[in-house]
Amino acid sequence: MEAAGDCAFRIAAGGEIRSASRSAARLAGVQAPLEGMPLSALFMEGDSAALRSAITDALAAAEPVLVRVRLRCAELATPLELRIVALAVDAGAAGSQCGGRDLFVVGRDMSAQHATEERLRHMATHDALTELPNRLLLSDRIRMVVANARRSGQGFAVATIGIDGFKKVNDALGHTVGDTVLRQAATRLRKAMRDSDTLARVGGDEFVVILPGTASEAQIKLVTGRLLAALQSPFEADGHTIHLGASVGVALYPQHAEDDHGLLSLADAALMRAKETGRGRAQVYSAREQGPPQHDISLEAAMFSAVREGEFLLYYQPIVDARTREIEGFETLMRWKHPTLGMVPPVRFIPIAETNGLINMLGAWALRSACAQLLQFEEAAKRDLYISVNISPRQFRSDKFLGVLDEALALSGMPGHKLVLEITEGTLMVDPQHAETILTRMAERRARIAIDDFGTGYSSLAYLKRFPISVLKIDRAFVKDLPDAPKDAAICSAVLDMARHLGLSVVAEGVETEEQLDWFQQRDCRYVQGYLTGRPMPANAALAALQDNHYTALLPPELRSRPS
């Protein structure tokens, strides 16, 4: 008995202790002999029924029976796992009936295992650095608050807090100092909250607060003000005084979303907006300002299916001579015709394709198809034309891009000078050295480079000298209010004058009125593009436009009216 488990008992069928190991008495903290006591007296009252049931089962079974109970020990309860087995009865012994058999009980102290299990549960649901709830527990807490809000009809808020400039701490002072700052930030935020609020760390320098009952504008302003103030004062870490700050994004239940995923996603979107618009401020999510979340998982899945099913199309918008209005070329525009959603706007699917890498496949297909299509356009027009293709940032950074360009030119047999590749200013300025290398190699293939949306990005005039650029496209933002906007007119005139001195071509985008066309024609802007001279159209309509300059009557009805 002394060698069996952490404690051992021999008991009668009725539960009385016949003998016990010395370790059993020590574990129970009992000085008096245990013999004659009911075994159940050593355990918590709530476990008596389970213990009696286990003894009954053990008397009837050939195998040991397991039961978990709590041993009384002063004010504490020690968890035990008892293994109970009925002992064999000696031949001729009195009481050979089942009810007269003794049982052997071996107990194992489960305290260490329970502590380990509890620690593992805590680790699974809490952040190791700050001991705050992590994203898993946060989602569960939000679901609980949503359930309560549905019963009470009372709204609540979810606020995402991002520490402004935290990256500089890790980069300059190391992660040890950064961890100290995060622990201090967690402590400050906890002090700024109510007992009913939940604070979680969801990764990096981001925290999330659930604010039950906080729904009005005044309440949100008060709470977010406290959160911002909590992180405004300097942090002291490892002898360094560190000045940071914070931005806050807020989403409301049920106005913005009704589940944990939606609320967290929209609060993140509001936080990004707060950082983009100056930092150090709180921003409540606004669908009007921010639109829907950029990444739609269901739409992403539909995109991969659309590639397989051939749902992506190319439309072509004419680029015309401002003097003659004759079509000189086309800009290639990607469209997606979904069987149930209809025409999906590029603003919805292009950012997703850029994120998941699908843009490389779609971009390569568009480039090959556009080059091949130009040959048909030239055959219909009986003259030379050019085709303009947009290159996305991810395409431009891809190691395979030049190979894709070579393949498109080789398969179509089109000379490079008839291809214009449109690239935004921002794409070039992310890595100017890489951009210069790639643009030079593109120019070696005689492809022309156009800066799309000129004047709306970085607007660094240095790249006009550094890079082999051939075309500037004036963004429609500077065109739409002409000729009655003096500032826009001054900007467009400056671009045209600068391009003339640098030997660059200019295309004015978004030309929609005769007055705008006349304005550019008078200032010797050769090329224009817009609804006045041609809407984006499928290839068959573009072929008809080349054969008959009055192509508008040949367009499908949905292309005749300007979309809202």
Side-chain angles (χ1 to χ4, degrees), residues 177 180-181 184 188 234-242:
V177 174
T180 301
V181 170
Q184 291 181 17
R188 293 185 188 182
F235 294 85
E236 300 292 338
D238 197 24
H240 301 282
T241 300
I242 304 165

Side-chain angles (χ1 to χ4, degrees), residues 292-336:
Q294 287 191 352
H295 210 88
D296 186 326
I297 298 299
S298 59
L299 194 66
E300 181 177 37
M303 285 179 63
F304 282 94
S305 175
V307 172
R308 294 191 300 269
E309 300 299 325
E311 296 171 9
F312 286 98
L313 311 168
L314 291 183
Y315 273 36
Y316 301 90
Q317 184 170 28
I319 300 171
V320 307
D321 188 308
R323 294 164 296 181
T324 65
R325 304 199 184 193
E326 189 173 52
I327 296 174
E328 298 285 339
F330 291 92
E331 180 180 353
T332 306
L333 302 167
M334 194 176 299
R335 295 291 184 264
W336 176 14

Side-chain angles (χ1 to χ4, degrees), residues 314 316 328-330 332 366-389 407-419 539 542-543 546-547:
L314 291 183
Y316 301 90
E328 298 285 339
F330 291 92
T332 306
L367 188 58
R368 289 193 300 267
S369 300
C371 290
Q373 186 65 56
L374 181 67
L375 301 181
Q376 295 186 36
F377 288 158
E378 289 186 326
E379 184 177 347
K382 308 301 182 186
R383 55 191 170 85
D384 288 340
L385 299 169
Y386 75 88
I387 198 81
S388 188
V389 181
E407 181 185 18
L409 293 174
L411 288 175
S412 65
M414 186 184 81
H417 71 272
K418 294 185 178 182
L419 175 63
L543 286 168
L546 290 167
Q547 293 167 338

Side-chain angles (χ1 to χ4, degrees), residues 158-165 207 217 220-232 244-251 267-286 288-290:
V158 172
T160 300
I161 306 154
I163 301 178
D164 295 336
F207 299 84
E217 182 178 347
I220 293 168
K221 187 175 182 179
L222 178 65
V223 173
T224 56
R226 287 204 307 265
L227 296 174
L228 291 172
L231 302 179
Q232 190 64 44
L244 295 170
S247 300
V248 179
V250 180
D268 280 341
L271 174 62
M272 290 180 62
R273 180 67 175 168
K275 287 181 176 289
E276 290 170 356
T277 54
R279 301 188 175 189
R281 60 190 298 268
Q283 173 78 38
V284 178
Y285 177 78
S286 168
R288 180 177 57 83
E289 291 184 12
Q290 292 157 281

Side-chain angles (χ1 to χ4, degrees), residues 385-401:
L385 299 169
Y386 75 88
I387 198 81
S388 188
V389 181
N390 290 279
I391 304 301
S392 80
R394 188 158 183 162
Q395 271 183 285
F396 187 73
R397 293 192 299 268
S398 172
D399 295 337
K400 299 180 180 179
F401 174 67

